[in-house]
Each structure stands twice: as structure tokens, then as C-alpha cells.
Amino acid sequence: MQRGQLIVNLSKEEQDSYYALGYWKDETIVDYFKKSVKKNPNKEFLVDTRGKRFTYAQVDERVKRLALKFHDMGLDRGEMIAHQMTNCAEAYIMMLAAYSVEAILSPIVPVYKGKGVVEMLNVTKPRAIIVHDAFGGYEYAKKIGESKKEIPSIEHIFVEGKNVPEGMISLNEIIENPVDTKRADSILSDYHPRGWNIEKVAFTAGTTGTPKGSIQRFDNQMYNIRKYIEGLKITEDDITLGMTPITHQWCWLYAFGMPIMTNSKVVLMDSWNAENCSRLIDKEKVTYFCGMTTFLLDFTDHWIKNKDKYNFSSLRVGHVAGQKLVPRRMIKAAREIGFKNLYGVWGQTENCAPVTHAVDPKATDSDDLLCDKTGLMWPEMQYDLKDPETGKSVPQGSIGEMCMKGPSICQGYYGNVEATAKTWDKDGWFHATNLFSVDPDGWLIFQGRLIEMLRRGAENVYLAGIERSLDVFVGNHPKIKEATIVAVQDERLGERGCLCLVVREKQFLNELNHVQLLEGFNTHLLQQGFNKFQLPEYVHLYEDYPRSAMQRIKKLDMSKELSELKRKKQLKGVAEDALR
């Protein structure tokens, strides 16, 4: 990709303006890694749950070995390398090695398996893929080998781990075996990754549709990293806990990009577990904590039961995002734990990171701002809230679809002109399919996604505001852990709402009276000022919701299941049209 190339209606003039204004600086994460190695080579950089502890110099040595191998195999400039790796030292070494020879990465979150992985690989058509031999009981190397005939582009399979199937390449042997350093330095000095190079093709972590790979260039990524370092005041003294998958954009930003740019340390969790998380924070003196809402809920619930077991005094700042806004009971526990700052944010894969922030003195002590609002848009980003049907801007305070332009937005969908054209309009605005309103001070209020808006007869029912109110009720209920509302199909009205509840203990599934729960929740909603047509009319209990790779609730899957239960008259609720 050349600088100035027209991409998704982003003209050469607009691109040049981003450079002139300093939003883009024609730099890459490789530049900052080299600076960190030179500045503090013996500083500890990586710690993972597999027992690896590496300094910057030790990582650099291994990066050069693998980068040289990529060069020798022709896996360099513009070549696509896919990987499906957990949070481990080898994943970081692999990414830095690929960037060093100007290859493009195509990460796939490890929770995806089978057909979904094949679909993604046939979008990006990589010549090589890097996987673990096995993880979490799943044999990744064996399975990708069995699927290879369905992925004609794959020539090489690198395997991390001891059990490397015949015909595949051991990643560990390459990383750990010394090479001729003079030859490596000479060859690698010929590579000069630039800011406008494609860094990765990241697949959206949504819950619907065919996989779409967003094209992300280093310029996008470095802008985001700088903004969050500046806002959170991340320094070389901070210690980050990387708990969300490194194959996901958000973790790449906060647990890969920010530590490298600040010459700081990162501690990696290869899978989520509240007890392990607590132990690592205590042992490694973690200062920065970032995770999905689900993770933070688990973490605070675990702490409540084990208050005297851990010392969390090192925690300085945290971020939370996910399927809904920050629950108040979680904020209360986080403050008791000792978080000095906790921020809620919003973003998408196409934004290359969260693009809202709450880095504002007013947010530090305000539960209302943290729980009810989604932050402020970074000033360099343009946004407009538009009516999804007319495309016109909505009045201040009204609900509209988030549309954006700016240095954070990705470059379209890889190999998918049709999806790109549907998502970016003729004027270059990215349509996020997320609904927001904005208050007079500029604080954005998340109102849901277009697919999470109920169309009950002639009325639009926006779910996020209702779910925020339900969260207060849940916080005081001894047997309910989470609440959300899902659309069920209805012959007469089109859609009706179903209250979906996660119980705190499995035995509560059979103990609780469904209809009494629904009536109790609806009474609470009416007391909060909601209209009858906005209330859910059905109820269903879960031990846990079905969730995506990034722990987002799979509402489309739930909607299909619940609609089928309703068709069979097996879904419990109030009388039809009782809430007319």
C-alpha cells in the first residue's frame, strides 16, 4: 500500500491532513520496540502464565531469529500470515517478527473452531498459519492440518508446543535456536515498515453474519495507542495485565502496543479465570487492568468472597467495555478494592480500538458518568448521529446511529467491496450500526445496536436504557446475576421483548417463579418511568448466556431459540397484549 492511495473515500488530501496535524506520524510498533530495546534492554518485558519471563533484549534476540526465518521462506513484504494463538510470550515474538519483515498478520481468536476458521482463512488467503499444538483440550495443529485441503492458500503451518505433527514446522525450535546475528542484522536492516503499511486484517467480533476482515494500518493503531497513553498517563513504571485475547484488537492496543511504546511490562493470562487474575495482580503488582464487563464482574465477585486473601494496592487505573455499560454494583466493589480510576469505553474492530474515553476529572468520582454514559469522543474524531432511515442528523438529545470519520477508522473490509460499500457511505462516513444519544456536555450515551432495537408494532423500543435500569434491580436481587432483553418474533406485533436472566447459582433455575420475576422487574421499570409498551412480556432463565469470543452476548442466537420456544408455546410470560 502506498501513501496517498484512495481507500474507502479517504482522499489523499484527507490522509495528508492527518500527517500534517500529527494524528499520523508514519511510525510503527517496530520503531518503538527498537527504541525500548535500546533504552532499557535488561528490563523485564514479558511474563506469561506458562512460566516465561523475558527482558526486552531476550525478546529482541528471539524476534530476530523468527524474522530471519520468515525472510528465508519468503513470508515477508505484503505476505499474509495468519495466527490463532493465546496470550503467551511466543505470540508477542511472532507478531514482532512478522512486522519486522513487513508481513501482514491475520489474527483469529482461539475460541473460533472448524468452519468459522476456514471461512476467515479463505478471506485473507494466507500462505502460512501459526497455531498451538493444543490448548484447552482442542488440538489446533491437528485440526488445521485436517482442514488444509479446504484452505488452498496455506503452504506452511507453524506449531507452538512440543507435539508438532509431521510436515509442520516447530515455532519453538526457531525461536530458541541461535542464528548468525551478523547475517540477521544485515538482512533485517533492509526492511523499513512504514505507517501506511497494513498491520493486520482483523475479523469483526460481532455475533452475526459472514466474517469481515477490517484492514488496519499502523497509522490507525499508533494514533490510538498514543491517545490512550496520554489519557491514562501510562509510563514505563506501569505493569499491564493482558487478559483479553491478543488476537483481538483491544488487547493488541492496551497489552501489546502501550507497553512497547512506554518501555513498560506486561503480564499475560492465556485464559480467563478470576482467581488466577487476582493472584497475578497481587504477585506482579499490576497497575493497569483492562477487560470486558463480564471479566470485571467475575473479578469483583471473587474479591467480595476473598477480601483478605489479596493485596491490590498497586492497581491504579482500569478500563471496562463489552456488551453493556458498567454495572453500579461492580463500580462499588471496584472502589472498595482500591481502583483509583475506572473508565468505561466504547469502540469496534473497525475503529481499531475504543474511540470514546472517560479520561476526565469529572468521571473519576461520578458513578452516573461511569455507569450511564459511554465517555467522550476523542477530539480528533468526527462523528454525527444520524437517523438510520433518513440518513439525516438527529437533534441533540435524540437517538441516532453513530457515524464517524477520523484517524482511528480502518481502511475497509479486506476483499469485500460489497460490505465496504454498505458500511461506508458516499461521503466516507463509517456507519457503526450502534445507537447513541449525546448530552449537552458532549457525553455519549449508548442506546443499543440496530439489531438490538425492538420494533413492537409501530414503536421502537431501545434496549440499553431499559437494561441500565434493570441493572439496579439485579444488584439488589440475591438470586439473579445479570439481566438483558432479547427480541422474540411475534406474528401480530413483529417483535416482543423477553427478559433473559442469569442466575447466581444453578439450583435457582428450578427454584424461581418465572412470572413473578417478570412482574417484579416490570414493576421496577414502571416505577422508573418506562412506558408499558417498553416492558418485556416474556422471561427465560439461564445458567449463563451464550457468548461470542469476546464475551458479548449472542442475542441473535438467543432470539432464534426464544422465538422457537414461543412458537411452541413453551416460553413463559404475561398474557398476550397485557402491556398494550
Side-chain angles (χ1 to χ4, degrees):
M1 179 186 295
Q2 299 296 316
R3 176 174 170 177
Q5 179 181 342
L6 294 178
I7 306 166
V8 194
N9 298 312
L10 183 63
S11 68
K12 180 180 183 300
E13 289 72 25
E14 286 176 300
Q15 294 184 66
D16 286 345
S17 73
Y18 290 163
Y19 286 111
L21 292 167
Y23 304 161
W24 291 352
K25 297 179 181 290
D26 184 17
E27 58 189 13
T28 75
I29 202 64
V30 176
D31 299 323
Y32 281 92
F33 179 67
K34 290 178 179 178
K35 290 177 184 178
S36 288
V37 172
K38 184 176 181 180
K39 177 182 179 181
N40 213 339
N42 296 320
K43 180 176 182 177
E44 191 166 61
F45 168 35
L46 279 178
V47 177
D48 70 17
T49 49
R50 299 176 168 203
K52 300 285 178 60
R53 305 187 81 97
F54 289 140
T55 65
Y56 273 90
Q58 289 170 329
V59 171
D60 183 48
E61 185 179 29
R62 288 161 173 79
V63 166
K64 289 178 179 177
R65 295 168 184 169
L66 184 56
L68 184 61
K69 183 67 172 180
F70 285 157
H71 163 84
D72 289 344
M73 298 179 70
L75 297 170
D76 54 0
R77 293 186 176 96
E79 292 290 344
M80 191 77 68
I81 300 175
H83 71 97
Q84 194 174 22
M85 299 190 72
T86 60
N87 295 6
C88 61
E90 290 82 2
Y92 277 52
I93 292 164
M94 176 276 302
M95 290 189 291
L96 285 165
Y99 299 145
S100 296
V101 294
E102 302 177 39
I104 302 169
L105 289 179
S106 176
I108 300 174
V109 180
V111 75
Y112 290 116
K113 301 176 177 71
K115 181 182 177 182
V117 173
V118 172
E119 289 179 348
M120 294 179 195
L121 293 173
N122 280 325
V123 170
T124 54
K125 298 178 172 57
R127 286 183 55 212
I129 184 169
I130 303 170
V131 296
H132 296 289
D133 55 356
F135 181 78
Y138 186 79
E139 296 178 303
Y140 285 90
K142 177 183 177 182
K143 295 298 183 181
I144 200 68
E146 292 172 351
S147 302
K148 191 172 181 294
K149 60 184 178 182
E150 301 176 59
I151 317 162
S153 66
I154 296 283
E155 298 175 18
H156 311 288
I157 301 174
F158 294 81
V159 178
E160 188 284 320
K162 296 179 180 179
N163 300 312
V164 181
E166 185 177 355
M168 299 184 188
I169 304 165
S170 171
L171 182 70
N172 302 78
E173 287 185 6
I174 299 169
I175 289 173
E176 296 304 329
N177 287 334
V179 296
D180 183 336
T181 55
K182 288 185 178 181
R183 176 175 178 263
D185 289 340
S186 175
I187 288 174
L188 297 179
S189 67
D190 288 336
Y191 292 95
H192 303 283
R194 304 298 297 268
W196 53 80
N197 289 157
I198 298 175
E199 178 267 319
K200 73 161 77 74
V201 174
F203 286 96
T204 56
T207 59
T208 65
T210 302
K212 300 189 294 291
S214 66
I215 304 169
Q216 302 178 355
R217 56 198 267 177
F218 279 108
D219 285 326
N220 303 129
Q221 307 286 32
M222 305 312 288
Y223 162 79
N224 284 320
I225 296 169
R226 286 193 302 271
K227 293 303 296 183
Y228 272 88
I229 288 174
E230 172 190 333
L232 299 170
K233 297 179 173 58
I234 301 295
T235 73
E236 62 183 339
D237 296 323
D238 277 299
I239 299 173
T240 296
L241 180 63
M243 64 178 75
T244 51
I246 193 61
T247 42
H248 187 268
Q249 170 56 30
W250 193 18
C251 188
W252 189 98
L253 180 147
Y254 81 80
F256 181 79
M258 290 203 306
I260 290 173
M261 188 177 277
T262 56
N263 192 207
S264 58
K265 172 180 171 180
V266 60
V267 179
L268 302 175
M269 291 183 64
D270 61 6
S271 59
W272 170 247
N273 178 282
E275 183 176 1
N276 288 342
C277 171
S278 301
R279 179 182 56 80
L280 285 170
I281 291 173
D282 186 357
K283 179 182 177 183
E284 302 293 340
K285 307 305 176 189
V286 169
T287 64
Y288 175 58
F289 177 115
C290 188
M292 309 304 288
T293 304
T294 306
F295 294 171
L296 235 60
L297 275 171
D298 289 348
F299 171 68
T300 52
D301 285 347
H302 177 74
W303 173 79
I304 288 170
K305 298 175 183 177
N306 300 274
K307 289 187 177 183
D308 299 326
K309 192 174 178 180
Y310 307 105
N311 179 356
F312 295 150
S313 61
S314 61
L315 285 172
R316 184 179 69 80
V317 63
H319 261 130
V320 60
Q323 72 272 10
K324 59 190 292 188
L325 300 185
V326 182
R328 290 177 184 271
R329 65 187 177 89
M330 189 178 75
I331 290 292
K332 180 181 178 181
R335 293 199 192 285
E336 290 181 31
I337 286 172
F339 272 107
K340 299 172 181 66
N341 297 284
L342 184 66
Y343 303 121
V345 296
W346 172 84
Q348 296 172 296
T349 302
E350 292 90 341
N351 309 142
C352 300
V355 287
T356 70
H357 68 94
V359 184
D360 185 291
K362 292 184 293 185
T364 303
D365 299 315
S366 172
D367 287 2
D368 289 341
L369 288 177
L370 280 171
C371 298
D372 298 337
K373 302 188 180 179
T374 325
L376 303 158
M377 186 68 74
W378 289 119
E380 297 86 353
M381 296 292 295
Q382 301 176 62
Y383 79 93
D384 191 11
L385 302 183
K386 299 185 179 184
D387 185 310
E389 295 183 5
T390 67
K392 296 181 179 180
S393 300
V394 301
Q396 193 272 321
S398 298
I399 296 172
E401 181 186 13
M402 174 62 73
C403 300
M404 292 176 287
K405 281 185 175 183
S408 177
I409 304 298
C410 80
Q411 311 302 299
Y413 297 124
Y414 190 85
N416 196 332
V417 176
E418 182 179 355
T420 301
K422 286 181 178 179
T423 308
W424 279 263
D425 64 27
K426 62 182 178 60
D427 297 316
W429 289 92
F430 166 71
H431 288 245
T433 70
N434 278 222
L435 301 169
F436 283 86
S437 59
V438 61
D439 74 9
D441 295 323
W443 287 80
L444 290 158
I445 305 166
F446 179 71
Q447 300 290 354
R449 300 176 178 88
L450 284 176
I451 61 170
E452 292 179 6
M453 179 189 75
L454 294 184
R455 183 72 175 181
R456 188 183 186 276
E459 302 293 344
N460 292 335
V461 180
Y462 298 103
L463 302 182
I466 301 171
E467 290 179 342
R468 276 196 292 271
S469 185
L470 287 176
D471 186 67
V472 176
F473 192 95
V474 169
N476 297 318
H477 200 290
K479 297 183 178 181
I480 301 298
K481 182 179 180 181
E482 291 184 72
T484 193
I485 297 174
V486 173
V488 293
Q489 299 302 307
D490 184 79
E491 184 176 355
R492 180 175 175 273
L493 291 177
E495 292 178 324
R496 298 177 190 260
C498 180
L499 177 64
C500 298
L501 305 171
V502 174
V503 295
R504 292 186 182 273
E505 304 290 345
K506 187 175 181 178
Q507 64 265 26
F508 296 155
L509 289 171
N510 298 318
E511 293 179 8
L512 292 169
N513 184 300
H514 289 61
V515 175
Q516 285 181 2
L517 277 173
L518 180 59
E519 291 174 345
F521 273 75
N522 283 348
T523 298
H524 169 76
L525 291 174
L526 289 171
Q527 291 171 347
Q528 297 299 308
F530 288 94
N531 298 298
K532 280 191 173 182
F533 77 84
Q534 294 174 292
L535 306 185
E537 296 164 75
Y538 298 95
V539 61
H540 196 68
L541 303 186
Y542 293 81
E543 186 177 355
D544 192 13
Y545 300 128
R547 300 181 189 270
S548 73
M550 286 306 298
Q551 295 299 304
R552 294 191 179 100
I553 301 171
K554 286 186 161 184
K555 287 196 171 185
L556 184 62
D557 290 353
M558 292 168 66
S559 177
K560 291 177 180 178
E561 176 191 1
L562 295 168
S563 296
E564 182 63 16
L565 289 176
K566 179 178 178 294
R567 188 187 67 80
K568 295 178 179 178
K569 301 187 183 301
Q570 296 174 358
L571 192 61
K572 298 179 181 179
V574 297
E576 292 276 318
D577 300 324
L579 301 180
R580 217 185 256 186

